[in-house]
Amino acid sequence: MRSKSLLSILTTVLLFAIAMPVMAQDDQPKREGTEWIDAFMPNTNDAALPRILLIGNSITRGYYPEVVKLMAGKAYVARLATSKSICDPALNKEIALIMSYYKFDIVHFNNGLHGFDYTEDEYKKAFPGFVKAIRKGASHAKLIWASTTPMHTRADAKILDPKTDRVKERNKIALDYISTQKDIKVDDLWALVIDRPEYYQGGDGTHPIPAGFTALAQKVAAELTALLAEK
């Protein structure tokens, strides 16, 4: 009996050990073939002006330089541009790392063009945690959420990429949650460019051409300036 009992235990342990890698694999984040993070923090030794952090992706990285110019003399503007989806736990770790360096007075944030292997239901479930991570890292900062910009076909910017329907749904999910957070402002970048295909014509369809990035930067800078003026 003892030998049978021992055999049963060993068999159970062996089956569990075999199952473990499968379970771990299922729990792995659904990442893209190449993931990246691009953080930039100017004026690291200065303290005369408020400090702003822009969180986003390559769109944010694209309009960032012009925002810095437009906010000169008003604030120091840093960026955290990343390919991580809000459904990936690594994003919150990246946010915590960057926010550990400085106290930010304003955080302008967006996330919606990455992580298309996740469903919109998963996006909805993850969004509150994304906002919570920002609040935790910058508990006294003013927050402003930016809607995600549309995607166009490369051949003709007048034709929207099918993924734009998913972007639109993610914007709705995010806005529904943001609407419950009375202290978070909205920067509607989607509305700014959705009817302006000329901002994308000749590009890759997802990233605006220089004129489009300039328009986005001006909108972001205007929203940040207004927020700075609030007491």
Side-chain angles (χ1 to χ4, degrees):
M1 291 294 292
R2 180 179 299 178
S3 61
K4 289 184 178 180
S5 177
L6 180 59
L7 178 61
S8 176
I9 293 173
L10 289 174
T11 301
T12 301
V13 171
L14 179 60
L15 289 173
F16 183 77
I18 293 173
M20 279 293 286
V22 176
M23 293 168 60
Q25 186 175 4
D26 290 342
D27 291 340
Q28 286 297 311
K30 302 170 186 177
R31 291 178 176 151
E32 299 172 0
T34 298
E35 294 280 3
W36 54 270
I37 175 174
D38 176 19
F40 191 83
M41 289 180 283
N43 303 96
T44 53
N45 296 312
D46 300 327
L49 299 175
R51 198 172 294 278
I52 296 173
L53 177 63
L54 307 184
I55 298 176
N57 47 39
S58 55
I59 306 298
T60 303
R61 182 171 58 184
Y63 61 65
Y64 171 80
E66 186 65 21
V67 172
V68 172
K69 293 178 183 177
L70 293 170
M71 297 303 294
K74 301 177 185 178
Y76 309 128
V77 185
R79 75 167 180 254
L80 168 57
T82 176
S83 62
K84 297 295 187 301
S85 162
I86 64 170
C87 299
D88 188 337
L91 175 61
N92 292 347
K93 294 179 181 179
E94 291 177 0
I95 292 171
L97 173 64
I98 298 305
M99 288 186 168
S100 69
Y101 293 119
Y102 297 98
K103 173 184 177 294
F104 291 99
D105 300 284
I106 295 177
V107 179
H108 180 284
F109 63 98
N110 161 265
N111 190 290
L113 281 181
H114 287 276
F116 282 114
D117 285 336
Y118 290 100
T119 67
E120 273 54 73
D121 284 341
E122 290 173 306
Y123 186 88
K124 181 177 182 179
K125 184 178 180 180
F127 195 84
F130 173 49
V131 176
K132 183 178 179 180
I134 294 171
R135 288 192 185 280
K136 182 177 180 180
S139 58
H140 299 292
K142 296 178 180 179
L143 305 183
I144 180 167
W145 167 77
S147 56
T148 301
T149 51
M151 302 172 69
H152 307 253
T153 61
R154 182 187 292 269
D156 186 353
K158 294 180 181 179
I159 302 174
L160 294 174
D161 184 284
K163 284 184 178 178
T164 294
D165 288 337
R166 297 190 64 189
V167 172
K168 187 175 181 179
E169 178 61 21
R170 289 182 176 196
N171 277 336
K172 182 181 182 303
I173 290 169
L175 184 58
D176 285 347
Y177 180 78
I178 294 298
S179 298
T180 69
Q181 310 294 299
K182 302 304 181 182
D183 60 328
I184 302 180
K185 304 292 184 180
V186 173
D187 186 1
D188 197 353
L189 300 183
W190 164 282
L192 178 71
V193 300
I194 185 60
D195 295 322
R196 302 297 298 270
E198 67 272 22
Y199 286 160
Y200 293 84
Q201 195 64 50
D204 64 5
T206 299
H207 301 86
I209 61 175
F213 273 129
T214 295
L216 289 170
Q218 291 173 343
K219 178 74 162 60
V220 171
E223 296 290 345
L224 294 175
T225 300
L227 204 53
L228 283 174
E230 292 185 5
K231 295 183 179 180

